[in-house]
Each structure stands twice: as C-alpha cells, then as structure tokens.
C-alpha cells in the first residue's frame, strides 16, 4: 500500500479512516406501505422489520400506514398515498381489472377466513346456511363467501357486518364473518366454548385462497425494480424474527396498538401471532414470501367461474416477487 507524501504508514491509515468516516452515508430509498387493518399481531413481521433495522439494512426507509374498517389499502395505493399495500390475493385479482397492480411477495399461504355459527342453530354443513342471515364485511372481504354461495346455489340474506360481533351474539345473524386469528378467538374470550361454535373454514371447501401479500403498481415495479424485492426480503426477516422472539414481537404490537388507541389484549394478540405462524409457514411453499403459480391459477379460475372477474392476467404478468 502506498503512502500520501510526507506521511508515515500509521498516519496514512488514520487519514484514510477519517476520510471514510467523513464520506456521506448511502441514502436510504424512501417508501411506504399500507397494511390493510388496524395495528395488531397480523402485522408483527412488519413491525419487527422496522424495529430491528431490517429495512434499513436493505437500503429502505419505510413508513407503515394502517388501514381499517373505513380505509381500503387498494384505494390508498391507487391514490398514490402509499407505494405498497397488503391485500388478499382474491381482492388483488379482482382489483387488477381497474388497477394495474402486481404481487411482489406472498406471505399468508392459507386462508384464515371463516363463517362462524352457533351449535344451537343446528348448522352442521355449508348447505344448512340456505335461507339464513349471514353477516359479511363490506367491500373487499366478501369474495370468498359470495363465491361459496354461488358454487352451492345458496340463497342467504346478507347482513352488513361491522368490526363488532354484537349482532351475532344477540342472534341477529346465524353466521358471522371471522378470521381464525381474530374474531374466532374473540368469541372464545367472550366466554363461549369451542363446543358452542361451528366454524366453517373456506379452506375446507375448495376456497383456500392465499391472503396477505404485498402489492404495488406495475409502474413502481418497473421504475424501481430493486425496491420491491428489498421490501420483501426485509419483511421475511421480520416475520422470522417475530416467530423466534414472540414476546418481544408482542411488545412491539402492544406498543403500536396503544399509540393508535386500539384496545389491546395481550393473550388475544399472542393467539393471533401463533395463528399467523400457522398460515404463513407452509410446507407447500419452501420459501417465505413466494406466491406459487398453482395457487394463483386456482384462485383466478374460481373467480372467473363464479363471475367475479371476466379475465385475469397470466401469472408472469401478475407476479414479480421472489422465486422458489
């Protein structure tokens, strides 16, 4: 190694070190993602990726934005208020007809969506829902339920369902929409026993649709091709960390719920985190964050057969994420 004129080797090394320290740090790529619901353990992997610096390690400065009952993630993406959004695969395929979005990473591999009925209402099979009142969430969360009703030729009375289960508890509907990781456990926390409930999982009726994936506009993926994969890689590390350090992850969840003014119950969030592990870590997908073509084709075909979409793009046009 050469020397600067007039400097000893030691002085040269000191000077080089000072020059390196003075060099400007690499600017982080600023971006944002809207998560489709209020703060909860459903998004623990994103929280840990922020808190542990995994996004920064990938060169990304990310802002997390939360959705909610009146905030649709796809609408914020469409309006340019976020670069990325989490959505169900069925929602994204339907929205693709009017919004040029692509999937850049698939995390929830199995459907946790269900209809919850009471044992006392004697609804033993899906067909027993015929003629019953069924609570469905508004907007983008109705697709699987309505697809099931169409497939089975069921005539149900749809009752708008809020984020409360009061109507179900009062007997106003015979079936309520729920997520395995959320509303189902909420009913148990109300004092109901598992034997009191008869859950109908869509995954048991040919509608095991992958749920939470990361999406962006096609133009974002084209203009900033390294950014989506960086976001997905960091999010994978976040989920891996959350599952390996559950209590630390729950601390992060509870802190965000508290800041957002969302009622927080640690045992419920612990249940949610464990169920997220069940539906994210799948033996059918060897690498977290990957959307399988066969899963996409199955959902695409079902939505076309049940009339939710007239057509949908081929897999290579829709998926821009990591490969197995």
């Amino acid at each position: 190694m050469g020397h600067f004129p007039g400097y000893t080797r030691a002085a040269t090394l000191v000077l080089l070190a000072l020059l390196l320290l003075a060099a400007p740090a690499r600017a982080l790529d600023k971006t944002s993602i809207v998560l489709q619901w209020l703060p909860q353990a459903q998004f623990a992997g994103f929280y840990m990726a922020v808190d542990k610096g995994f996004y920064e390690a990938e060169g990304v400065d990310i802002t997390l934005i939360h959705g909610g009952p009146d905030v649709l993630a796809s609408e914020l993406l469409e309006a340019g208020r976020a670069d990325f959004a989490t959505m169900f695969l069925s929602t994204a395929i339907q929205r693709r007809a009017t919004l040029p979005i692509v999937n850049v990473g698939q995390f929830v591999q199995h459907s946790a969506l269900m209809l919850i009925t009471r044992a006392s209402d004697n609804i033993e099979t899906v067909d027993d829902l015929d003629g019953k009142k069924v609570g469905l969430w508004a907007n983008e969360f109705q697709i699987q339920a309505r697809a099931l009703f169409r497939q089975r030729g069921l005539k149900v009375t749809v009752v708008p369902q809020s984020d409360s289960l009061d109507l179900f508890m009062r007997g106003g509907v015979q079936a309520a929409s729920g997520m395995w990781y959320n509303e189902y456990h909420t009913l148990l926390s109300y004092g109901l026993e598992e034997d009191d409930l008869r859950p109908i999982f869509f995954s048991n009726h040919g509608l095991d649709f992958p749920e939470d994936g990361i999406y962006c506009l096609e133009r974002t993926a084209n203009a900033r091709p390294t950014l989506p994969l960086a976001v997905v890689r960091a999010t994978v590390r976040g989920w891996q960390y959350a599952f390996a350090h559950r209590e630390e992850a729950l601390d992060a969840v509870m802190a965000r719920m508290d800041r957002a003014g969302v009622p927080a119950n640690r045992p419920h969030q612990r249940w949610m985190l464990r169920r997220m592990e069940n539906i994210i870590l799948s033996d059918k997908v060897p690498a977290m964050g990957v959307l399988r073509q066969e899963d996409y084709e199955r959902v695409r075909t079902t939505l076309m057969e049940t009339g939710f979409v007239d057509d949908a793009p081929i897999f290579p046009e829709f998926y821009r994420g990591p490969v197995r």
Side-chain angles (χ1 to χ4, degrees), residues 86-132:
T86 62
M87 281 182 267
F88 286 8
L89 177 58
S90 55
T91 296
I93 292 174
Q94 188 182 48
R95 289 291 279 128
R96 171 75 186 215
T98 57
L99 184 65
I101 55 176
V102 292
N103 181 305
V104 296
Q106 183 62 46
F107 284 88
V108 173
Q109 302 293 344
H110 293 288
S111 177
L113 189 62
M114 60 168 67
L115 294 175
I116 308 170
T117 71
R118 286 179 178 272
S120 58
D121 285 329
N122 297 315
I123 298 173
E124 300 295 337
T125 70
V126 172
D127 294 334
D128 292 333
L129 291 172
D130 196 43
K132 301 294 193 298

Short mmCIF file of all heavy atoms in Angstrom, two decimals, residues 86-132:
data_model
loop_
_atom_site.label_atom_id
_atom_site.label_comp_id
_atom_site.label_asym_id
_atom_site.label_seq_id
_atom_site.Cartn_x
_atom_site.Cartn_y
_atom_site.Cartn_z
N THR A 86 -50.80 -4.21 1.47
CA THR A 86 -51.10 -5.62 1.68
C THR A 86 -52.57 -5.85 1.31
O THR A 86 -53.44 -5.03 1.61
CB THR A 86 -50.86 -6.06 3.14
OG1 THR A 86 -51.72 -5.32 4.02
CG2 THR A 86 -49.41 -5.83 3.54
N MET A 87 -52.81 -6.97 0.64
CA MET A 87 -54.16 -7.34 0.21
C MET A 87 -54.27 -8.85 0.14
O MET A 87 -53.27 -9.55 0.02
CB MET A 87 -54.46 -6.77 -1.18
CG MET A 87 -54.83 -5.31 -1.24
SD MET A 87 -55.21 -4.80 -2.94
CE MET A 87 -53.61 -4.22 -3.46
N PHE A 88 -55.52 -9.34 0.20
CA PHE A 88 -55.80 -10.74 -0.11
C PHE A 88 -55.57 -10.95 -1.61
O PHE A 88 -55.82 -10.06 -2.42
CB PHE A 88 -57.24 -11.09 0.22
CG PHE A 88 -57.55 -11.22 1.70
CD1 PHE A 88 -56.62 -10.88 2.67
CD2 PHE A 88 -58.78 -11.71 2.11
CE1 PHE A 88 -56.92 -11.01 4.01
CE2 PHE A 88 -59.09 -11.85 3.45
CZ PHE A 88 -58.16 -11.50 4.41
N LEU A 89 -55.16 -12.17 -1.98
CA LEU A 89 -54.95 -12.47 -3.38
C LEU A 89 -56.23 -12.32 -4.19
O LEU A 89 -56.22 -11.77 -5.30
CB LEU A 89 -54.39 -13.89 -3.53
CG LEU A 89 -54.17 -14.39 -4.97
CD1 LEU A 89 -53.21 -13.48 -5.73
CD2 LEU A 89 -53.64 -15.83 -4.95
N SER A 90 -57.36 -12.78 -3.65
CA SER A 90 -58.63 -12.67 -4.38
C SER A 90 -58.99 -11.20 -4.62
O SER A 90 -59.47 -10.83 -5.70
CB SER A 90 -59.74 -13.37 -3.60
OG SER A 90 -59.84 -12.86 -2.28
N THR A 91 -58.76 -10.35 -3.63
CA THR A 91 -59.02 -8.93 -3.77
C THR A 91 -58.14 -8.33 -4.87
O THR A 91 -58.61 -7.56 -5.72
CB THR A 91 -58.74 -8.19 -2.45
OG1 THR A 91 -59.65 -8.66 -1.45
CG2 THR A 91 -58.90 -6.70 -2.60
N ALA A 92 -56.88 -8.71 -4.86
CA ALA A 92 -55.93 -8.15 -5.81
C ALA A 92 -56.28 -8.55 -7.25
O ALA A 92 -56.19 -7.74 -8.17
CB ALA A 92 -54.52 -8.58 -5.46
N ILE A 93 -56.68 -9.80 -7.44
CA ILE A 93 -57.05 -10.24 -8.80
C ILE A 93 -58.27 -9.46 -9.28
O ILE A 93 -58.35 -9.04 -10.44
CB ILE A 93 -57.31 -11.75 -8.82
CG1 ILE A 93 -56.00 -12.52 -8.58
CG2 ILE A 93 -57.93 -12.18 -10.14
CD1 ILE A 93 -56.18 -14.02 -8.45
N GLN A 94 -59.23 -9.27 -8.39
CA GLN A 94 -60.42 -8.51 -8.77
C GLN A 94 -60.07 -7.05 -9.07
O GLN A 94 -60.53 -6.47 -10.05
CB GLN A 94 -61.47 -8.58 -7.67
CG GLN A 94 -62.81 -7.97 -8.06
CD GLN A 94 -63.83 -8.01 -6.94
OE1 GLN A 94 -63.53 -7.64 -5.81
NE2 GLN A 94 -65.03 -8.47 -7.23
N ARG A 95 -59.22 -6.44 -8.23
CA ARG A 95 -58.85 -5.04 -8.42
C ARG A 95 -58.00 -4.83 -9.66
O ARG A 95 -57.95 -3.75 -10.24
CB ARG A 95 -58.11 -4.51 -7.19
CG ARG A 95 -58.97 -4.34 -5.97
CD ARG A 95 -59.95 -3.18 -6.16
NE ARG A 95 -59.34 -1.89 -5.92
CZ ARG A 95 -59.38 -0.86 -6.76
NH1 ARG A 95 -59.99 -0.98 -7.92
NH2 ARG A 95 -58.83 0.28 -6.45
N ARG A 96 -57.30 -5.88 -10.09
CA ARG A 96 -56.42 -5.78 -11.24
C ARG A 96 -57.18 -5.35 -12.49
O ARG A 96 -56.60 -4.76 -13.42
CB ARG A 96 -55.74 -7.13 -11.47
CG ARG A 96 -54.95 -7.27 -12.75
CD ARG A 96 -53.62 -6.53 -12.73
NE ARG A 96 -52.99 -6.57 -14.04
CZ ARG A 96 -51.70 -6.65 -14.26
NH1 ARG A 96 -50.86 -6.69 -13.22
NH2 ARG A 96 -51.21 -6.69 -15.47
N ALA A 97 -58.47 -5.59 -12.54
CA ALA A 97 -59.27 -5.21 -13.70
C ALA A 97 -59.28 -3.70 -13.91
O ALA A 97 -59.41 -3.22 -15.05
CB ALA A 97 -60.71 -5.72 -13.55
N THR A 98 -59.15 -2.93 -12.84
CA THR A 98 -59.19 -1.47 -12.93
C THR A 98 -57.93 -0.80 -12.40
O THR A 98 -57.74 0.39 -12.57
CB THR A 98 -60.40 -0.91 -12.16
OG1 THR A 98 -60.34 -1.35 -10.79
CG2 THR A 98 -61.70 -1.39 -12.77
N LEU A 99 -57.07 -1.57 -11.72
CA LEU A 99 -55.88 -1.00 -11.11
C LEU A 99 -54.69 -1.89 -11.46
O LEU A 99 -54.66 -3.06 -11.07
CB LEU A 99 -56.05 -0.93 -9.58
CG LEU A 99 -54.93 -0.29 -8.76
CD1 LEU A 99 -54.81 1.20 -9.12
CD2 LEU A 99 -55.20 -0.45 -7.26
N PRO A 100 -53.70 -1.37 -12.19
CA PRO A 100 -52.59 -2.21 -12.67
C PRO A 100 -51.59 -2.54 -11.55
O PRO A 100 -50.52 -1.96 -11.45
CB PRO A 100 -51.95 -1.34 -13.76
CG PRO A 100 -52.24 0.07 -13.34
CD PRO A 100 -53.60 0.02 -12.69
N ILE A 101 -51.97 -3.51 -10.71
CA ILE A 101 -51.11 -3.90 -9.59
C ILE A 101 -50.45 -5.24 -9.87
O ILE A 101 -50.94 -6.04 -10.66
CB ILE A 101 -51.91 -3.97 -8.28
CG1 ILE A 101 -53.12 -4.91 -8.42
CG2 ILE A 101 -52.33 -2.60 -7.81
CD1 ILE A 101 -53.91 -5.12 -7.13
N VAL A 102 -49.34 -5.46 -9.18
CA VAL A 102 -48.63 -6.73 -9.26
C VAL A 102 -48.30 -7.20 -7.85
O VAL A 102 -48.12 -6.40 -6.93
CB VAL A 102 -47.35 -6.64 -10.10
CG1 VAL A 102 -47.67 -6.41 -11.57
CG2 VAL A 102 -46.42 -5.55 -9.57
N ASN A 103 -48.23 -8.51 -7.69
CA ASN A 103 -47.83 -9.11 -6.42
C ASN A 103 -46.31 -9.21 -6.41
O ASN A 103 -45.71 -9.74 -7.34
CB ASN A 103 -48.46 -10.50 -6.29
CG ASN A 103 -48.11 -11.20 -4.98
OD1 ASN A 103 -46.95 -11.37 -4.64
ND2 ASN A 103 -49.12 -11.66 -4.28
N VAL A 104 -45.69 -8.71 -5.33
CA VAL A 104 -44.23 -8.78 -5.23
C VAL A 104 -43.78 -9.67 -4.07
O VAL A 104 -42.58 -9.89 -3.90
CB VAL A 104 -43.61 -7.36 -5.09
CG1 VAL A 104 -43.89 -6.55 -6.35
CG2 VAL A 104 -44.13 -6.64 -3.86
N GLY A 105 -44.72 -10.18 -3.31
CA GLY A 105 -44.37 -11.08 -2.21
C GLY A 105 -45.63 -11.61 -1.55
O GLY A 105 -46.53 -10.84 -1.23
N GLN A 106 -45.70 -12.92 -1.37
CA GLN A 106 -46.89 -13.54 -0.77
C GLN A 106 -46.51 -14.13 0.58
O GLN A 106 -45.62 -14.97 0.67
CB GLN A 106 -47.44 -14.64 -1.68
CG GLN A 106 -48.71 -15.29 -1.17
CD GLN A 106 -49.86 -14.30 -1.07
OE1 GLN A 106 -50.10 -13.51 -1.98
NE2 GLN A 106 -50.56 -14.32 0.05
N PHE A 107 -47.21 -13.70 1.64
CA PHE A 107 -46.86 -14.17 2.98
C PHE A 107 -47.87 -15.16 3.55
O PHE A 107 -47.51 -16.25 3.96
CB PHE A 107 -46.65 -12.96 3.91
CG PHE A 107 -45.34 -12.30 3.65
CD1 PHE A 107 -45.22 -11.30 2.69
CD2 PHE A 107 -44.19 -12.71 4.31
CE1 PHE A 107 -43.99 -10.73 2.40
CE2 PHE A 107 -42.97 -12.14 4.04
CZ PHE A 107 -42.86 -11.14 3.09
N VAL A 108 -49.14 -14.81 3.59
CA VAL A 108 -50.14 -15.73 4.14
C VAL A 108 -50.52 -16.73 3.05
O VAL A 108 -51.12 -16.37 2.04
CB VAL A 108 -51.37 -14.98 4.65
CG1 VAL A 108 -52.46 -15.96 5.07
CG2 VAL A 108 -51.00 -14.09 5.84
N GLN A 109 -50.15 -17.99 3.27
CA GLN A 109 -50.31 -19.02 2.24
C GLN A 109 -51.65 -19.76 2.34
O GLN A 109 -52.07 -20.39 1.38
CB GLN A 109 -49.16 -20.04 2.34
CG GLN A 109 -47.78 -19.42 2.21
CD GLN A 109 -47.51 -18.86 0.82
OE1 GLN A 109 -48.20 -19.16 -0.14
NE2 GLN A 109 -46.48 -18.03 0.71
N HIS A 110 -52.28 -19.72 3.51
CA HIS A 110 -53.56 -20.42 3.71
C HIS A 110 -54.62 -19.43 4.18
O HIS A 110 -54.31 -18.47 4.89
CB HIS A 110 -53.42 -21.53 4.76
CG HIS A 110 -52.55 -22.67 4.34
ND1 HIS A 110 -52.93 -23.58 3.38
CD2 HIS A 110 -51.31 -23.03 4.74
CE1 HIS A 110 -51.98 -24.47 3.22
NE2 HIS A 110 -50.97 -24.16 4.02
N SER A 111 -55.84 -19.68 3.80
CA SER A 111 -56.94 -18.81 4.20
C SER A 111 -57.29 -19.03 5.67
O SER A 111 -57.48 -20.16 6.11
CB SER A 111 -58.17 -19.06 3.34
OG SER A 111 -59.25 -18.27 3.79
N ALA A 112 -57.40 -17.93 6.40
CA ALA A 112 -57.87 -17.97 7.78
C ALA A 112 -59.31 -17.49 7.90
O ALA A 112 -59.86 -17.41 8.99
CB ALA A 112 -56.97 -17.11 8.67
N LEU A 113 -59.92 -17.18 6.75
CA LEU A 113 -61.28 -16.64 6.74
C LEU A 113 -62.30 -17.76 6.99
O LEU A 113 -62.14 -18.88 6.49
CB LEU A 113 -61.55 -15.98 5.40
CG LEU A 113 -62.84 -15.17 5.27
CD1 LEU A 113 -62.87 -14.00 6.22
CD2 LEU A 113 -62.99 -14.67 3.82
N MET A 114 -63.33 -17.44 7.73
CA MET A 114 -64.36 -18.43 8.07
C MET A 114 -65.71 -17.75 8.27
O MET A 114 -65.79 -16.52 8.41
CB MET A 114 -63.98 -19.15 9.37
CG MET A 114 -63.83 -18.20 10.55
SD MET A 114 -63.74 -19.06 12.16
CE MET A 114 -62.19 -19.91 12.01
N LEU A 115 -66.73 -18.57 8.27
CA LEU A 115 -68.04 -18.17 8.78
C LEU A 115 -68.23 -18.91 10.10
O LEU A 115 -67.96 -20.11 10.20
CB LEU A 115 -69.15 -18.54 7.80
CG LEU A 115 -69.13 -17.79 6.47
CD1 LEU A 115 -70.22 -18.34 5.54
CD2 LEU A 115 -69.32 -16.29 6.67
N ILE A 116 -68.68 -18.19 11.11
CA ILE A 116 -68.83 -18.77 12.44
C ILE A 116 -70.31 -18.90 12.75
O ILE A 116 -71.07 -17.94 12.63
CB ILE A 116 -68.15 -17.89 13.51
CG1 ILE A 116 -66.69 -17.59 13.09
CG2 ILE A 116 -68.18 -18.58 14.87
CD1 ILE A 116 -66.02 -16.55 13.96
N THR A 117 -70.72 -20.10 13.13
CA THR A 117 -72.12 -20.34 13.51
C THR A 117 -72.16 -20.91 14.92
O THR A 117 -71.15 -21.37 15.46
CB THR A 117 -72.79 -21.33 12.53
OG1 THR A 117 -72.25 -22.65 12.75
CG2 THR A 117 -72.57 -20.92 11.09
N ARG A 118 -73.36 -20.87 15.50
CA ARG A 118 -73.56 -21.45 16.83
C ARG A 118 -74.04 -22.90 16.70
O ARG A 118 -74.85 -23.22 15.82
CB ARG A 118 -74.62 -20.67 17.60
CG ARG A 118 -74.19 -19.31 18.13
CD ARG A 118 -75.37 -18.67 18.84
NE ARG A 118 -75.06 -17.39 19.42
CZ ARG A 118 -74.57 -17.22 20.66
NH1 ARG A 118 -74.32 -18.28 21.41
NH2 ARG A 118 -74.33 -16.00 21.12
N ALA A 119 -73.57 -23.74 17.59
CA ALA A 119 -74.03 -25.13 17.60
C ALA A 119 -75.54 -25.20 17.82
O ALA A 119 -76.23 -26.07 17.26
CB ALA A 119 -73.30 -25.92 18.67
N SER A 120 -76.08 -24.27 18.59
CA SER A 120 -77.51 -24.28 18.91
C SER A 120 -78.40 -23.98 17.69
O SER A 120 -79.60 -24.24 17.72
CB SER A 120 -77.81 -23.26 20.02
OG SER A 120 -77.40 -21.96 19.65
N ASP A 121 -77.81 -23.43 16.63
CA ASP A 121 -78.58 -23.14 15.42
C ASP A 121 -78.63 -24.32 14.46
O ASP A 121 -79.23 -24.22 13.37
CB ASP A 121 -78.02 -21.91 14.70
CG ASP A 121 -78.38 -20.61 15.41
OD1 ASP A 121 -79.46 -20.57 16.04
OD2 ASP A 121 -77.60 -19.65 15.35
N ASN A 122 -77.96 -25.41 14.83
CA ASN A 122 -78.02 -26.67 14.06
C ASN A 122 -77.55 -26.50 12.61
O ASN A 122 -78.13 -27.09 11.70
CB ASN A 122 -79.44 -27.25 14.09
CG ASN A 122 -79.88 -27.61 15.49
OD1 ASN A 122 -79.11 -28.22 16.25
ND2 ASN A 122 -81.09 -27.23 15.86
N ILE A 123 -76.54 -25.70 12.42
CA ILE A 123 -75.93 -25.56 11.09
C ILE A 123 -74.72 -26.47 11.06
O ILE A 123 -73.64 -26.14 11.55
CB ILE A 123 -75.54 -24.09 10.81
CG1 ILE A 123 -76.81 -23.22 10.83
CG2 ILE A 123 -74.82 -23.97 9.47
CD1 ILE A 123 -76.54 -21.74 10.72
N GLU A 124 -74.91 -27.65 10.50
CA GLU A 124 -73.86 -28.66 10.52
C GLU A 124 -73.02 -28.65 9.24
O GLU A 124 -71.86 -29.07 9.25
CB GLU A 124 -74.48 -30.06 10.70
CG GLU A 124 -75.29 -30.21 11.99
CD GLU A 124 -74.42 -30.10 13.24
OE1 GLU A 124 -73.20 -30.35 13.14
OE2 GLU A 124 -74.96 -29.77 14.31
N THR A 125 -73.60 -28.21 8.13
CA THR A 125 -72.90 -28.18 6.85
C THR A 125 -73.09 -26.82 6.19
O THR A 125 -73.96 -26.03 6.60
CB THR A 125 -73.41 -29.27 5.90
OG1 THR A 125 -74.74 -28.94 5.47
CG2 THR A 125 -73.41 -30.64 6.58
N VAL A 126 -72.34 -26.57 5.15
CA VAL A 126 -72.47 -25.33 4.40
C VAL A 126 -73.89 -25.17 3.86
O VAL A 126 -74.48 -24.08 3.90
CB VAL A 126 -71.46 -25.29 3.24
CG1 VAL A 126 -71.72 -24.10 2.32
CG2 VAL A 126 -70.04 -25.23 3.77
N ASP A 127 -74.47 -26.25 3.37
CA ASP A 127 -75.80 -26.17 2.77
C ASP A 127 -76.87 -25.76 3.77
O ASP A 127 -77.93 -25.26 3.37
CB ASP A 127 -76.16 -27.52 2.13
CG ASP A 127 -75.28 -27.85 0.93
OD1 ASP A 127 -74.76 -26.90 0.31
OD2 ASP A 127 -75.09 -29.04 0.65
N ASP A 128 -76.59 -25.94 5.06
CA ASP A 128 -77.54 -25.52 6.09
C ASP A 128 -77.64 -24.01 6.21
O ASP A 128 -78.53 -23.50 6.91
CB ASP A 128 -77.17 -26.12 7.45
CG ASP A 128 -77.35 -27.63 7.49
OD1 ASP A 128 -78.19 -28.15 6.73
OD2 ASP A 128 -76.63 -28.30 8.27
N LEU A 129 -76.76 -23.29 5.53
CA LEU A 129 -76.83 -21.83 5.53
C LEU A 129 -77.94 -21.32 4.62
O LEU A 129 -78.31 -20.14 4.70
CB LEU A 129 -75.50 -21.22 5.07
CG LEU A 129 -74.30 -21.38 6.02
CD1 LEU A 129 -73.03 -20.90 5.32
CD2 LEU A 129 -74.53 -20.60 7.31
N ASP A 130 -78.46 -22.17 3.78
CA ASP A 130 -79.52 -21.75 2.85
C ASP A 130 -80.70 -21.16 3.62
O ASP A 130 -81.22 -21.79 4.56
CB ASP A 130 -79.98 -22.94 2.01
CG ASP A 130 -80.76 -22.52 0.79
OD1 ASP A 130 -80.34 -21.55 0.12
OD2 ASP A 130 -81.78 -23.15 0.49
N GLY A 131 -81.09 -19.94 3.23
CA GLY A 131 -82.20 -19.27 3.88
C GLY A 131 -81.86 -18.56 5.17
O GLY A 131 -82.73 -17.95 5.79
N LYS A 132 -80.58 -18.58 5.57
CA LYS A 132 -80.17 -17.97 6.83
C LYS A 132 -79.64 -16.55 6.62
O LYS A 132 -79.32 -16.13 5.50
CB LYS A 132 -79.08 -18.82 7.50
CG LYS A 132 -79.50 -20.26 7.79
CD LYS A 132 -80.60 -20.32 8.84
CE LYS A 132 -80.81 -21.73 9.38
NZ LYS A 132 -81.23 -22.71 8.36
#
